[in-house]
């Protein structure tokens, strides 16, 4: 098992394997997005109180889930890079940050657009909204810290520490609506109950799986690029470049 | 200890340290992180006196009285209730029985609101289902 991981995680091997795996994420992403959009915009009913504004939820909630999920991936990958010093783990952490930041931003913006007509305000400083904003700042801090060093190895060491410390914010975001009185509503989807109409739930699941696959596509593509830059002095990268020239 | 175990310990201490720091911080903040007070908390004197604070609860059924842009209604948590006076535009979700959060201050037992926000709950359903639920509830009460 260990040998297999090491072989897979070697930059050269990953570069070629990733290229083969990308379609396995890309096509499910396209299919899930199309079906998900149909379910979210046409099949699912309007809400009894919110009317059609409820449809904002089908982007907002999956984006918010992704913002947490990607942060955990980033911090764990950073931790693995820190302890076992696997190059690929550091690359996964580094390329995840902008994707996570984008999903966090999307969750905040769609939340504001929904909040204005429903709550009566774009923004309030309640526990859920504030902790999600801190998550965006964590992503931005991680990215700037990474760019502050010339040597990617030193950069990863510093930024991984930041990512791991920032991990405490994740349960705070998740439980903020239970621990404190907040304007934001509690979770509709728990382990034991779903307080949502079945067609709404299906639309939500389809889009959130679409987002997961999109993350897969983006991370594989970006990791390949990042590996080329980081390993630019190695023989296999030179071979890749030569190959590319011949193909053009 | 090998170098790798050393690094593992470092990461573990990092996580433990962060958790400890945040726990202490949240403990120290206490109820300051609550976004609003419930009517019972206000009745118990937990809310700041003479200063602006947020009050959250349900709009009592049958209590909404409108006069031009001025609205009068009760906010309740089924134990205590306060009369709210507000002038301005109410959010879409404002209705009787709905959870709301309002900012303002208590003056002679009346809460003079400067802002009224509607709180949404975690239930999402189509109008037909809501109607059916309402009917089922009514037939049970009969």
């Amino acid at each position: 098992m260990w040998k297999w991981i090491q072989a897979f995680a070697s930059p050269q091997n990953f570069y070629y394997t990733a290229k083969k795996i990308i379609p396995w994420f890309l096509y499910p992403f396209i299919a899930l997005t199309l079906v998900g959009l149909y379910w979210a915009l046409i099949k699912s009913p309007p809400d009894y109180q919110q009317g059609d504004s409820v449809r904002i939820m089908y982007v907002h909630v999956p984006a918010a889930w992704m913002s947490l999920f990607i942060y955990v991936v980033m911090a764990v990958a950073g931790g693995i890079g820190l302890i076992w010093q696997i190059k690929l783990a550091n690359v996964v952490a580094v390329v995840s940050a902008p994707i996570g930041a984008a999903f966090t931003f999307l969750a905040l913006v769609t939340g504001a657009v929904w909040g204005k007509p429903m709550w009566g305000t774009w923004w309030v400083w309640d526990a859920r909204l504030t902790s999600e904003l801190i998550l965006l700042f964590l992503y931005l801090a991680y990215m700037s810290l990474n760019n502050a060093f010339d040597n990617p190895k030193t950069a990863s060491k510093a930024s991984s520490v930041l990512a791991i410390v920032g991990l405490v914010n994740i349960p705070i975001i998740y439980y903020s609506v239970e621990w404190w009185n907040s304007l934001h509503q509690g979770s509709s989807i728990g382990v034991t109950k779903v307080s949502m109409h079945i067609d709404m739930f299906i639309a939500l699941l389809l889009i959130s799986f679409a987002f997961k696959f999109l993350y897969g596509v983006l991370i594989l593509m970006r990791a390949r690029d990042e590996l080329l830059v980081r390993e630019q002095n190695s023989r296999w990268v030179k071979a890749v470049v030569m190959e590319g020239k011949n193909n053009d | 200890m090998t170098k790798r175990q050393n690094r593992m310990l470092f990461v573990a201490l990092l996580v433990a340290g962060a958790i400890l720091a945040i726990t202490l911080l949240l403990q120290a903040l206490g109820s300051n992180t609550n976004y609003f007070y419930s009517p019972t908390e206000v009745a118990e004197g937990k809310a700041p006196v003479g200063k602006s604070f947020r009050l959250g609860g349900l709009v009592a059924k049958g209590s909404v009285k409108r006069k031009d842009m001025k609205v009068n209604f009760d906010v309740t948590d089924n134990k205590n209730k306060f009369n709210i006076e507000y002038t301005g535009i109410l959010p879409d979700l404002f209705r009787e029985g709905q959870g709301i959060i309002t900012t303002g201050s208590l003056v002679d037992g009346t809460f003079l609101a400067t802002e009224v926000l509607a709180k949404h709950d975690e239930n999402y359903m189509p109008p037909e289902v809501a109607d059916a639920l309402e009917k089922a509830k009514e037939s049970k009460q009969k």
Side-chain angles (χ1 to χ4, degrees):
Chain A
M1 181 69 182
W2 183 240
K3 275 230 172 92
W4 183 83
I5 291 174
Q6 269 184 323
F8 176 76
S10 88
Q12 182 183 6
N13 204 328
F14 178 83
Y15 182 82
Y16 287 105
T17 318
K19 193 182 180 185
K20 280 183 221 148
I21 305 175
I22 286 173
W24 292 90
F25 286 88
L26 183 62
Y27 294 121
F29 161 65
I30 294 169
L32 282 166
T33 306
L34 291 176
V35 182
L37 280 177
Y38 167 74
W39 229 280
L41 297 178
I42 298 161
K43 186 97 172 32
S44 74
D47 183 65
Y48 74 116
Q49 285 196 324
Q50 307 165 48
D52 280 325
S53 304
V54 71
R55 299 183 201 281
I56 295 173
M57 172 183 73
Y58 304 128
V59 178
H60 174 72
V61 174
W65 281 344
M66 287 311 286
S67 72
L68 303 184
F69 176 76
I70 293 175
Y71 193 90
V72 174
V73 171
M74 189 178 91
V76 169
I80 291 172
L82 209 57
I83 296 170
W84 287 280
Q85 303 193 321
I86 296 171
K87 279 182 196 163
L88 185 62
N90 285 333
V91 168
V92 166
V94 169
V95 301
S96 288
I99 311 172
F103 276 115
T104 314
F105 183 73
L106 188 62
L108 289 169
V109 169
T110 50
V113 168
W114 182 88
K116 184 61 188 170
M118 291 303 135
W119 289 341
T121 180
W122 299 101
W123 182 264
V124 289
W125 294 100
D126 84 343
R128 171 56 71 80
L129 279 66
T130 309
S131 54
E132 182 76 8
L133 184 66
I134 290 173
L135 183 70
L136 180 65
F137 291 155
L138 275 172
Y139 276 120
L140 297 180
Y142 178 92
M143 288 192 282
S144 7
L145 190 58
N146 236 318
N147 290 330
F149 295 90
D150 287 330
N151 180 357
K153 215 175 156 186
T154 334
S156 276
K157 252 185 207 162
S159 57
S160 295
V161 170
L162 174 73
I164 291 165
V165 171
L167 209 50
V168 286
N169 192 32
I170 299 299
I172 294 179
I173 297 174
Y174 190 80
Y175 291 109
S176 54
V177 289
E178 289 174 32
W179 290 347
W180 300 289
N181 295 335
S182 60
L183 180 61
H184 196 287
Q185 57 267 38
S187 318
S188 304
I189 294 158
V191 183
T192 48
K193 68 161 190 126
V194 175
S195 47
M196 184 182 288
H197 187 263
I198 183 72
D199 279 331
M200 296 176 170
F201 185 53
I202 290 172
L204 198 59
L205 281 188
L206 286 169
I207 300 286
S208 59
F209 279 112
F211 278 1
K212 289 272 180 332
F213 280 102
L214 174 63
Y215 173 51
V217 175
L218 291 175
I219 204 178
L220 288 170
M221 286 166 72
R222 300 201 70 230
R224 288 182 86 224
D225 289 353
E226 183 72 20
L227 279 173
L228 284 188
V229 176
R230 289 190 176 207
E231 303 282 301
Q232 51 187 290
N233 292 322
S234 71
R235 208 179 301 149
W236 72 268
V237 172
K238 283 184 182 132
V240 168
V241 173
M242 289 309 289
E243 206 183 302
K245 268 188 188 153
N246 291 342
N247 285 347
D248 291 340
Chain B
M1 234 193 310
T2 64
K3 267 193 174 164
R4 185 183 295 164
Q5 279 170 325
N6 237 329
R7 292 194 295 258
M8 264 188 220
L9 188 69
F10 171 69
V11 169
L13 284 177
L14 211 58
V15 173
I19 291 171
L20 184 72
I22 286 292
T23 314
L24 290 174
L25 186 74
L26 293 181
Q27 286 289 330
L29 280 171
S31 65
N32 283 337
T33 40
N34 278 335
Y35 192 67
F36 59 86
Y37 295 93
S38 70
T40 302
E41 282 170 333
V42 177
E44 284 168 355
K46 282 183 185 160
V49 181
K51 267 199 287 185
S52 169
F53 66 95
R54 294 191 195 89
L55 174 68
L58 301 173
V59 179
K61 290 235 162 93
S63 73
V64 179
K65 290 179 206 86
R66 286 171 206 261
K67 201 185 162 199
D68 296 330
M69 287 292 277
K70 204 165 128 187
V71 202
N72 245 295
F73 57 92
D74 290 344
V75 161
T76 171
D77 58 359
N78 296 327
K79 277 189 204 140
N80 291 282
K81 66 177 179 182
F82 285 92
N83 188 251
I84 316 286
E85 200 179 299
Y86 175 68
T87 309
I89 298 164
L90 293 164
D92 281 9
L93 285 181
F94 181 90
R95 61 202 72 183
E96 289 180 0
Q98 183 77 32
I100 61 136
I101 295 174
T102 169
T103 314
S105 49
L106 267 178
V107 179
D108 304 327
T110 303
F111 190 86
L112 302 178
T114 53
E115 184 183 44
V116 174
L117 301 179
K119 191 167 155 51
H120 190 260
D121 64 14
E122 68 274 25
N123 295 310
Y124 297 81
M125 55 187 144
E128 309 89 71
V129 176
D131 284 349
L133 280 180
E134 193 62 34
K135 270 180 198 151
K137 220 174 161 187
E138 276 169 16
S139 62
K140 240 186 198 171
Q141 278 166 354
K142 279 171 197 168

